[in-house]
Amino acid sequence: MSILAATAVLSLGVLSLGAMPANATDLEVTVKGEVKSGDVIHYGIFNRSAGFTDPRKTLAEEAIKVKGNSAVAVFKGLEPGEYAVATYNDKNGNGKLDKSWIGRPKEPYGFSNNAKGSFGPPSFAKAMIKVGEENKSISIKITK
């Protein structure tokens, strides 16, 4: 590698490190409940109430294969603030939460704080968790 190429690579590395907020933290989300080894759990993290649970409005998404009786996703580099997590077990592997004709989920699902809604998903406020400057871990139990 030439000196010029090495300098360019090092410069890009320094720039990308500089882009990370100094107080960025990680959020670890463990899902338990109606899961079995091999299932795929989809996670979506949201940072505002507008569009909460709309897959097109996620801040970040993960799809994690269950090992044993749980699945763990880690959202890295979050700034301190308020977030909510929505998750579901994609039993048939089609990449979406299947629903009945009246809109009731057919696959196990859950939210941060194990929040429940009535006649629909819970509000962002019920599912909201605060992320500070230290890494945080939460657990969600998913059910039908």
Side-chain angles (χ1 to χ4, degrees):
M1 181 182 286
S2 74
I3 292 175
L4 183 59
T7 303
V9 169
L10 287 173
S11 296
L12 286 174
V14 170
L15 288 175
S16 66
L17 287 175
M20 181 85 86
N23 54 356
T25 189
D26 297 343
L27 173 63
E28 179 181 276
V29 183
T30 301
V31 165
K32 296 180 179 183
E34 291 188 37
V35 300
K36 67 181 192 303
S37 192
D39 287 350
V40 176
I41 307 300
H42 287 260
Y43 299 77
I45 187 167
F46 300 81
N47 63 348
R48 59 184 63 136
S49 61
F52 175 53
T53 73
D54 181 343
R56 298 168 297 184
K57 306 283 180 157
T58 58
L59 178 65
E61 298 175 295
E62 291 283 342
I64 305 291
K65 193 172 258 192
V66 175
K67 293 178 183 160
N69 63 354
S70 66
V72 180
V74 180
F75 295 95
K76 296 186 174 282
L78 297 176
E79 293 184 31
E82 298 175 343
Y83 298 90
V85 179
T87 185
Y88 69 93
N89 185 343
D90 188 10
K91 290 284 198 182
N92 62 5
N94 67 354
K96 66 179 186 173
L97 176 62
D98 295 317
K99 298 178 182 177
S100 70
W101 65 275
I102 59 171
R104 184 172 172 84
K106 291 178 164 182
E107 297 173 303
Y109 64 95
F111 301 93
S112 42
N113 292 331
N114 292 312
K116 303 279 185 210
S118 48
F119 302 107
S123 66
F124 180 85
K126 283 185 179 179
M128 189 269 298
I129 55 171
K130 290 188 186 249
V131 173
E133 293 184 10
E134 294 184 16
N135 293 342
K136 184 174 183 96
S137 296
I138 65 168
S139 182
I140 298 174
K141 184 176 180 185
I142 61 173
T143 59
K144 273 192 200 174

PDB file of all heavy atoms in Angstrom, residues 41-74:
ATOM      1  N   ILE A  41     -36.541 -12.898  15.101  1.00  0.00           N
ATOM      2  CA  ILE A  41     -37.182 -11.791  15.810  1.00  0.00           C
ATOM      3  C   ILE A  41     -36.805 -10.488  15.123  1.00  0.00           C
ATOM      4  O   ILE A  41     -35.630 -10.221  14.884  1.00  0.00           O
ATOM      5  CB  ILE A  41     -36.723 -11.746  17.293  1.00  0.00           C
ATOM      6  CG1 ILE A  41     -36.937 -13.098  17.976  1.00  0.00           C
ATOM      7  CG2 ILE A  41     -37.433 -10.619  18.030  1.00  0.00           C
ATOM      8  CD1 ILE A  41     -38.363 -13.582  18.017  1.00  0.00           C
ATOM      9  N   HIS A  42     -37.820  -9.691  14.799  1.00  0.00           N
ATOM     10  CA  HIS A  42     -37.600  -8.371  14.190  1.00  0.00           C
ATOM     11  C   HIS A  42     -37.751  -7.304  15.269  1.00  0.00           C
ATOM     12  O   HIS A  42     -38.703  -7.342  16.050  1.00  0.00           O
ATOM     13  CB  HIS A  42     -38.606  -8.111  13.063  1.00  0.00           C
ATOM     14  CG  HIS A  42     -38.321  -8.914  11.843  1.00  0.00           C
ATOM     15  ND1 HIS A  42     -37.683  -8.400  10.760  1.00  0.00           N
ATOM     16  CD2 HIS A  42     -38.569 -10.211  11.547  1.00  0.00           C
ATOM     17  CE1 HIS A  42     -37.550  -9.329   9.836  1.00  0.00           C
ATOM     18  NE2 HIS A  42     -38.086 -10.446  10.295  1.00  0.00           N
ATOM     19  N   TYR A  43     -36.797  -6.378  15.287  1.00  0.00           N
ATOM     20  CA  TYR A  43     -36.779  -5.279  16.251  1.00  0.00           C
ATOM     21  C   TYR A  43     -36.836  -3.962  15.478  1.00  0.00           C
ATOM     22  O   TYR A  43     -36.173  -3.814  14.453  1.00  0.00           O
ATOM     23  CB  TYR A  43     -35.457  -5.246  17.022  1.00  0.00           C
ATOM     24  CG  TYR A  43     -35.125  -6.449  17.845  1.00  0.00           C
ATOM     25  CD1 TYR A  43     -34.662  -7.619  17.265  1.00  0.00           C
ATOM     26  CD2 TYR A  43     -35.229  -6.394  19.226  1.00  0.00           C
ATOM     27  CE1 TYR A  43     -34.313  -8.709  18.042  1.00  0.00           C
ATOM     28  CE2 TYR A  43     -34.874  -7.482  20.014  1.00  0.00           C
ATOM     29  CZ  TYR A  43     -34.424  -8.641  19.410  1.00  0.00           C
ATOM     30  OH  TYR A  43     -34.076  -9.706  20.177  1.00  0.00           O
ATOM     31  N   GLY A  44     -37.562  -3.011  15.997  1.00  0.00           N
ATOM     32  CA  GLY A  44     -37.543  -1.648  15.482  1.00  0.00           C
ATOM     33  C   GLY A  44     -37.421  -0.698  16.656  1.00  0.00           C
ATOM     34  O   GLY A  44     -38.133  -0.849  17.650  1.00  0.00           O
ATOM     35  N   ILE A  45     -36.507   0.261  16.551  1.00  0.00           N
ATOM     36  CA  ILE A  45     -36.360   1.250  17.616  1.00  0.00           C
ATOM     37  C   ILE A  45     -36.833   2.592  17.077  1.00  0.00           C
ATOM     38  O   ILE A  45     -36.542   2.942  15.922  1.00  0.00           O
ATOM     39  CB  ILE A  45     -34.917   1.304  18.166  1.00  0.00           C
ATOM     40  CG1 ILE A  45     -34.844   2.226  19.385  1.00  0.00           C
ATOM     41  CG2 ILE A  45     -33.912   1.673  17.101  1.00  0.00           C
ATOM     42  CD1 ILE A  45     -33.562   2.101  20.174  1.00  0.00           C
ATOM     43  N   PHE A  46     -37.578   3.308  17.893  1.00  0.00           N
ATOM     44  CA  PHE A  46     -38.184   4.582  17.510  1.00  0.00           C
ATOM     45  C   PHE A  46     -37.743   5.663  18.486  1.00  0.00           C
ATOM     46  O   PHE A  46     -37.563   5.386  19.667  1.00  0.00           O
ATOM     47  CB  PHE A  46     -39.713   4.474  17.540  1.00  0.00           C
ATOM     48  CG  PHE A  46     -40.258   3.428  16.613  1.00  0.00           C
ATOM     49  CD1 PHE A  46     -40.281   2.086  16.983  1.00  0.00           C
ATOM     50  CD2 PHE A  46     -40.742   3.772  15.365  1.00  0.00           C
ATOM     51  CE1 PHE A  46     -40.773   1.116  16.132  1.00  0.00           C
ATOM     52  CE2 PHE A  46     -41.241   2.809  14.495  1.00  0.00           C
ATOM     53  CZ  PHE A  46     -41.259   1.472  14.886  1.00  0.00           C
ATOM     54  N   ASN A  47     -37.600   6.885  17.991  1.00  0.00           N
ATOM     55  CA  ASN A  47     -37.199   7.982  18.884  1.00  0.00           C
ATOM     56  C   ASN A  47     -38.208   9.125  18.887  1.00  0.00           C
ATOM     57  O   ASN A  47     -37.901  10.211  19.348  1.00  0.00           O
ATOM     58  CB  ASN A  47     -35.807   8.504  18.531  1.00  0.00           C
ATOM     59  CG  ASN A  47     -35.730   9.098  17.142  1.00  0.00           C
ATOM     60  OD1 ASN A  47     -36.645   8.941  16.332  1.00  0.00           O
ATOM     61  ND2 ASN A  47     -34.640   9.780  16.858  1.00  0.00           N
ATOM     62  N   ARG A  48     -39.413   8.879  18.398  1.00  0.00           N
ATOM     63  CA  ARG A  48     -40.479   9.898  18.467  1.00  0.00           C
ATOM     64  C   ARG A  48     -41.833   9.220  18.383  1.00  0.00           C
ATOM     65  O   ARG A  48     -41.960   8.129  17.847  1.00  0.00           O
ATOM     66  CB  ARG A  48     -40.318  10.936  17.380  1.00  0.00           C
ATOM     67  CG  ARG A  48     -40.343  10.386  15.971  1.00  0.00           C
ATOM     68  CD  ARG A  48     -40.091  11.459  14.960  1.00  0.00           C
ATOM     69  NE  ARG A  48     -38.762  11.956  15.218  1.00  0.00           N
ATOM     70  CZ  ARG A  48     -37.857  12.215  14.314  1.00  0.00           C
ATOM     71  NH1 ARG A  48     -38.142  12.078  13.067  1.00  0.00           N
ATOM     72  NH2 ARG A  48     -36.658  12.624  14.630  1.00  0.00           N
ATOM     73  N   SER A  49     -42.826   9.869  18.930  1.00  0.00           N
ATOM     74  CA  SER A  49     -44.161   9.277  18.956  1.00  0.00           C
ATOM     75  C   SER A  49     -44.815   9.272  17.580  1.00  0.00           C
ATOM     76  O   SER A  49     -45.580   8.363  17.276  1.00  0.00           O
ATOM     77  CB  SER A  49     -45.044   9.991  19.976  1.00  0.00           C
ATOM     78  OG  SER A  49     -45.191  11.348  19.632  1.00  0.00           O
ATOM     79  N   ALA A  50     -44.515  10.261  16.757  1.00  0.00           N
ATOM     80  CA  ALA A  50     -45.091  10.304  15.411  1.00  0.00           C
ATOM     81  C   ALA A  50     -44.574   9.111  14.615  1.00  0.00           C
ATOM     82  O   ALA A  50     -43.380   8.958  14.410  1.00  0.00           O
ATOM     83  CB  ALA A  50     -44.722  11.611  14.721  1.00  0.00           C
ATOM     84  N   GLY A  51     -45.473   8.241  14.239  1.00  0.00           N
ATOM     85  CA  GLY A  51     -45.089   7.071  13.455  1.00  0.00           C
ATOM     86  C   GLY A  51     -44.632   5.885  14.278  1.00  0.00           C
ATOM     87  O   GLY A  51     -44.132   4.910  13.734  1.00  0.00           O
ATOM     88  N   PHE A  52     -44.805   5.957  15.607  1.00  0.00           N
ATOM     89  CA  PHE A  52     -44.413   4.818  16.438  1.00  0.00           C
ATOM     90  C   PHE A  52     -45.143   3.575  15.962  1.00  0.00           C
ATOM     91  O   PHE A  52     -46.342   3.609  15.749  1.00  0.00           O
ATOM     92  CB  PHE A  52     -44.729   5.106  17.914  1.00  0.00           C
ATOM     93  CG  PHE A  52     -44.459   3.942  18.828  1.00  0.00           C
ATOM     94  CD1 PHE A  52     -43.220   3.310  18.834  1.00  0.00           C
ATOM     95  CD2 PHE A  52     -45.433   3.479  19.679  1.00  0.00           C
ATOM     96  CE1 PHE A  52     -42.965   2.236  19.678  1.00  0.00           C
ATOM     97  CE2 PHE A  52     -45.189   2.414  20.533  1.00  0.00           C
ATOM     98  CZ  PHE A  52     -43.957   1.788  20.520  1.00  0.00           C
ATOM     99  N   THR A  53     -44.445   2.512  15.765  1.00  0.00           N
ATOM    100  CA  THR A  53     -44.827   1.191  15.256  1.00  0.00           C
ATOM    101  C   THR A  53     -44.916   1.131  13.733  1.00  0.00           C
ATOM    102  O   THR A  53     -45.110   0.055  13.191  1.00  0.00           O
ATOM    103  CB  THR A  53     -46.134   0.630  15.872  1.00  0.00           C
ATOM    104  OG1 THR A  53     -47.255   1.321  15.366  1.00  0.00           O
ATOM    105  CG2 THR A  53     -46.093   0.648  17.394  1.00  0.00           C
ATOM    106  N   ASP A  54     -44.757   2.236  13.032  1.00  0.00           N
ATOM    107  CA  ASP A  54     -44.739   2.208  11.570  1.00  0.00           C
ATOM    108  C   ASP A  54     -43.338   1.795  11.133  1.00  0.00           C
ATOM    109  O   ASP A  54     -42.373   2.511  11.391  1.00  0.00           O
ATOM    110  CB  ASP A  54     -45.076   3.596  11.012  1.00  0.00           C
ATOM    111  CG  ASP A  54     -45.112   3.641   9.489  1.00  0.00           C
ATOM    112  OD1 ASP A  54     -44.571   2.721   8.833  1.00  0.00           O
ATOM    113  OD2 ASP A  54     -45.666   4.611   8.950  1.00  0.00           O
ATOM    114  N   PRO A  55     -43.202   0.633  10.475  1.00  0.00           N
ATOM    115  CA  PRO A  55     -41.866   0.148  10.112  1.00  0.00           C
ATOM    116  C   PRO A  55     -41.070   1.131   9.240  1.00  0.00           C
ATOM    117  O   PRO A  55     -39.844   1.091   9.225  1.00  0.00           O
ATOM    118  CB  PRO A  55     -42.131  -1.144   9.340  1.00  0.00           C
ATOM    119  CG  PRO A  55     -43.564  -1.471   9.532  1.00  0.00           C
ATOM    120  CD  PRO A  55     -44.255  -0.257  10.049  1.00  0.00           C
ATOM    121  N   ARG A  56     -41.754   2.023   8.561  1.00  0.00           N
ATOM    122  CA  ARG A  56     -41.054   3.011   7.713  1.00  0.00           C
ATOM    123  C   ARG A  56     -40.480   4.156   8.542  1.00  0.00           C
ATOM    124  O   ARG A  56     -39.734   4.978   8.033  1.00  0.00           O
ATOM    125  CB  ARG A  56     -42.008   3.565   6.656  1.00  0.00           C
ATOM    126  CG  ARG A  56     -42.523   2.483   5.710  1.00  0.00           C
ATOM    127  CD  ARG A  56     -43.649   2.990   4.879  1.00  0.00           C
ATOM    128  NE  ARG A  56     -44.742   3.325   5.806  1.00  0.00           N
ATOM    129  CZ  ARG A  56     -45.930   3.738   5.451  1.00  0.00           C
ATOM    130  NH1 ARG A  56     -46.218   3.906   4.199  1.00  0.00           N
ATOM    131  NH2 ARG A  56     -46.851   4.009   6.347  1.00  0.00           N
ATOM    132  N   LYS A  57     -40.819   4.223   9.831  1.00  0.00           N
ATOM    133  CA  LYS A  57     -40.388   5.337  10.689  1.00  0.00           C
ATOM    134  C   LYS A  57     -39.349   4.917  11.738  1.00  0.00           C
ATOM    135  O   LYS A  57     -39.082   5.658  12.660  1.00  0.00           O
ATOM    136  CB  LYS A  57     -41.600   5.942  11.413  1.00  0.00           C
ATOM    137  CG  LYS A  57     -42.727   6.362  10.518  1.00  0.00           C
ATOM    138  CD  LYS A  57     -42.448   7.654   9.830  1.00  0.00           C
ATOM    139  CE  LYS A  57     -43.646   7.996   8.939  1.00  0.00           C
ATOM    140  NZ  LYS A  57     -43.758   9.358   8.647  1.00  0.00           N
ATOM    141  N   THR A  58     -38.790   3.723  11.609  1.00  0.00           N
ATOM    142  CA  THR A  58     -37.820   3.274  12.602  1.00  0.00           C
ATOM    143  C   THR A  58     -36.529   4.059  12.504  1.00  0.00           C
ATOM    144  O   THR A  58     -36.111   4.470  11.423  1.00  0.00           O
ATOM    145  CB  THR A  58     -37.485   1.776  12.454  1.00  0.00           C
ATOM    146  OG1 THR A  58     -36.972   1.557  11.143  1.00  0.00           O
ATOM    147  CG2 THR A  58     -38.672   0.903  12.721  1.00  0.00           C
ATOM    148  N   LEU A  59     -35.903   4.239  13.638  1.00  0.00           N
ATOM    149  CA  LEU A  59     -34.571   4.829  13.697  1.00  0.00           C
ATOM    150  C   LEU A  59     -33.554   3.777  13.262  1.00  0.00           C
ATOM    151  O   LEU A  59     -32.599   4.063  12.549  1.00  0.00           O
ATOM    152  CB  LEU A  59     -34.280   5.307  15.122  1.00  0.00           C
ATOM    153  CG  LEU A  59     -32.918   5.914  15.385  1.00  0.00           C
ATOM    154  CD1 LEU A  59     -32.756   7.210  14.594  1.00  0.00           C
ATOM    155  CD2 LEU A  59     -32.753   6.184  16.873  1.00  0.00           C
ATOM    156  N   ALA A  60     -33.775   2.528  13.689  1.00  0.00           N
ATOM    157  CA  ALA A  60     -32.924   1.404  13.322  1.00  0.00           C
ATOM    158  C   ALA A  60     -33.729   0.120  13.439  1.00  0.00           C
ATOM    159  O   ALA A  60     -34.696   0.056  14.196  1.00  0.00           O
ATOM    160  CB  ALA A  60     -31.698   1.352  14.227  1.00  0.00           C
ATOM    161  N   GLU A  61     -33.318  -0.891  12.671  1.00  0.00           N
ATOM    162  CA  GLU A  61     -33.982  -2.188  12.694  1.00  0.00           C
ATOM    163  C   GLU A  61     -32.949  -3.296  12.799  1.00  0.00           C
ATOM    164  O   GLU A  61     -31.812  -3.130  12.365  1.00  0.00           O
ATOM    165  CB  GLU A  61     -34.775  -2.413  11.411  1.00  0.00           C
ATOM    166  CG  GLU A  61     -35.889  -1.425  11.180  1.00  0.00           C
ATOM    167  CD  GLU A  61     -36.544  -1.645   9.823  1.00  0.00           C
ATOM    168  OE1 GLU A  61     -35.850  -1.449   8.810  1.00  0.00           O
ATOM    169  OE2 GLU A  61     -37.717  -2.026   9.806  1.00  0.00           O
ATOM    170  N   GLU A  62     -33.364  -4.411  13.348  1.00  0.00           N
ATOM    171  CA  GLU A  62     -32.531  -5.615  13.429  1.00  0.00           C
ATOM    172  C   GLU A  62     -33.428  -6.823  13.218  1.00  0.00           C
ATOM    173  O   GLU A  62     -34.607  -6.798  13.573  1.00  0.00           O
ATOM    174  CB  GLU A  62     -31.861  -5.749  14.803  1.00  0.00           C
ATOM    175  CG  GLU A  62     -30.804  -4.737  15.106  1.00  0.00           C
ATOM    176  CD  GLU A  62     -29.476  -5.019  14.415  1.00  0.00           C
ATOM    177  OE1 GLU A  62     -29.235  -6.158  13.970  1.00  0.00           O
ATOM    178  OE2 GLU A  62     -28.678  -4.073  14.324  1.00  0.00           O
ATOM    179  N   ALA A  63     -32.879  -7.873  12.659  1.00  0.00           N
ATOM    180  CA  ALA A  63     -33.544  -9.167  12.582  1.00  0.00           C
ATOM    181  C   ALA A  63     -32.536 -10.173  13.136  1.00  0.00           C
ATOM    182  O   ALA A  63     -31.445 -10.321  12.594  1.00  0.00           O
ATOM    183  CB  ALA A  63     -33.930  -9.506  11.155  1.00  0.00           C
ATOM    184  N   ILE A  64     -32.900 -10.834  14.236  1.00  0.00           N
ATOM    185  CA  ILE A  64     -31.983 -11.713  14.955  1.00  0.00           C
ATOM    186  C   ILE A  64     -32.592 -13.110  15.067  1.00  0.00           C
ATOM    187  O   ILE A  64     -33.758 -13.257  15.444  1.00  0.00           O
ATOM    188  CB  ILE A  64     -31.705 -11.173  16.382  1.00  0.00           C
ATOM    189  CG1 ILE A  64     -31.184  -9.730  16.338  1.00  0.00           C
ATOM    190  CG2 ILE A  64     -30.771 -12.094  17.147  1.00  0.00           C
ATOM    191  CD1 ILE A  64     -29.809  -9.553  15.767  1.00  0.00           C
ATOM    192  N   LYS A  65     -31.783 -14.112  14.769  1.00  0.00           N
ATOM    193  CA  LYS A  65     -32.221 -15.502  14.904  1.00  0.00           C
ATOM    194  C   LYS A  65     -32.132 -15.925  16.375  1.00  0.00           C
ATOM    195  O   LYS A  65     -31.150 -15.643  17.050  1.00  0.00           O
ATOM    196  CB  LYS A  65     -31.353 -16.410  14.045  1.00  0.00           C
ATOM    197  CG  LYS A  65     -31.925 -17.803  13.873  1.00  0.00           C
ATOM    198  CD  LYS A  65     -31.138 -18.595  12.865  1.00  0.00           C
ATOM    199  CE  LYS A  65     -31.935 -18.585  11.580  1.00  0.00           C
ATOM    200  NZ  LYS A  65     -31.454 -19.531  10.593  1.00  0.00           N
ATOM    201  N   VAL A  66     -33.182 -16.590  16.836  1.00  0.00           N
ATOM    202  CA  VAL A  66     -33.244 -17.063  18.220  1.00  0.00           C
ATOM    203  C   VAL A  66     -32.267 -18.216  18.418  1.00  0.00           C
ATOM    204  O   VAL A  66     -32.195 -19.129  17.597  1.00  0.00           O
ATOM    205  CB  VAL A  66     -34.676 -17.533  18.579  1.00  0.00           C
ATOM    206  CG1 VAL A  66     -34.723 -18.130  19.973  1.00  0.00           C
ATOM    207  CG2 VAL A  66     -35.669 -16.393  18.449  1.00  0.00           C
ATOM    208  N   LYS A  67     -31.522 -18.115  19.509  1.00  0.00           N
ATOM    209  CA  LYS A  67     -30.643 -19.204  19.941  1.00  0.00           C
ATOM    210  C   LYS A  67     -31.103 -19.587  21.337  1.00  0.00           C
ATOM    211  O   LYS A  67     -31.109 -18.753  22.238  1.00  0.00           O
ATOM    212  CB  LYS A  67     -29.189 -18.743  19.958  1.00  0.00           C
ATOM    213  CG  LYS A  67     -28.646 -18.455  18.583  1.00  0.00           C
ATOM    214  CD  LYS A  67     -27.219 -17.956  18.649  1.00  0.00           C
ATOM    215  CE  LYS A  67     -26.757 -17.614  17.242  1.00  0.00           C
ATOM    216  NZ  LYS A  67     -25.634 -16.725  17.223  1.00  0.00           N
ATOM    217  N   GLY A  68     -31.523 -20.826  21.511  1.00  0.00           N
ATOM    218  CA  GLY A  68     -32.057 -21.241  22.801  1.00  0.00           C
ATOM    219  C   GLY A  68     -33.474 -20.739  22.962  1.00  0.00           C
ATOM    220  O   GLY A  68     -34.329 -20.998  22.132  1.00  0.00           O
ATOM    221  N   ASN A  69     -33.698 -19.929  24.012  1.00  0.00           N
ATOM    222  CA  ASN A  69     -35.054 -19.423  24.264  1.00  0.00           C
ATOM    223  C   ASN A  69     -35.132 -17.904  24.278  1.00  0.00           C
ATOM    224  O   ASN A  69     -36.047 -17.336  24.850  1.00  0.00           O
ATOM    225  CB  ASN A  69     -35.588 -19.993  25.583  1.00  0.00           C
ATOM    226  CG  ASN A  69     -34.766 -19.541  26.777  1.00  0.00           C
ATOM    227  OD1 ASN A  69     -33.724 -18.897  26.627  1.00  0.00           O
ATOM    228  ND2 ASN A  69     -35.234 -19.870  27.958  1.00  0.00           N
ATOM    229  N   SER A  70     -34.131 -17.232  23.645  1.00  0.00           N
ATOM    230  CA  SER A  70     -34.168 -15.769  23.586  1.00  0.00           C
ATOM    231  C   SER A  70     -33.344 -15.271  22.401  1.00  0.00           C
ATOM    232  O   SER A  70     -32.571 -16.018  21.814  1.00  0.00           O
ATOM    233  CB  SER A  70     -33.637 -15.158  24.882  1.00  0.00           C
ATOM    234  OG  SER A  70     -32.269 -15.447  25.045  1.00  0.00           O
ATOM    235  N   ALA A  71     -33.545 -14.025  22.086  1.00  0.00           N
ATOM    236  CA  ALA A  71     -32.773 -13.352  21.038  1.00  0.00           C
ATOM    237  C   ALA A  71     -32.350 -11.997  21.573  1.00  0.00           C
ATOM    238  O   ALA A  71     -33.109 -11.346  22.289  1.00  0.00           O
ATOM    239  CB  ALA A  71     -33.604 -13.182  19.774  1.00  0.00           C
ATOM    240  N   VAL A  72     -31.145 -11.572  21.226  1.00  0.00           N
ATOM    241  CA  VAL A  72     -30.612 -10.312  21.731  1.00  0.00           C
ATOM    242  C   VAL A  72     -30.167  -9.443  20.557  1.00  0.00           C
ATOM    243  O   VAL A  72     -29.391  -9.886  19.711  1.00  0.00           O
ATOM    244  CB  VAL A  72     -29.419 -10.546  22.679  1.00  0.00           C
ATOM    245  CG1 VAL A  72     -28.872  -9.221  23.185  1.00  0.00           C
ATOM    246  CG2 VAL A  72     -29.822 -11.440  23.844  1.00  0.00           C
ATOM    247  N   ALA A  73     -30.662  -8.208  20.522  1.00  0.00           N
ATOM    248  CA  ALA A  73     -30.210  -7.210  19.548  1.00  0.00           C
ATOM    249  C   ALA A  73     -29.536  -6.088  20.315  1.00  0.00           C
ATOM    250  O   ALA A  73     -29.950  -5.749  21.426  1.00  0.00           O
ATOM    251  CB  ALA A  73     -31.390  -6.652  18.750  1.00  0.00           C
ATOM    252  N   VAL A  74     -28.504  -5.508  19.719  1.00  0.00           N
ATOM    253  CA  VAL A  74     -27.815  -4.381  20.340  1.00  0.00           C
ATOM    254  C   VAL A  74     -27.848  -3.209  19.364  1.00  0.00           C
ATOM    255  O   VAL A  74     -27.375  -3.321  18.237  1.00  0.00           O
ATOM    256  CB  VAL A  74     -26.356  -4.734  20.708  1.00  0.00           C
ATOM    257  CG1 VAL A  74     -25.673  -3.533  21.342  1.00  0.00           C
ATOM    258  CG2 VAL A  74     -26.309  -5.933  21.650  1.00  0.00           C
TER     259      VAL A  74
END
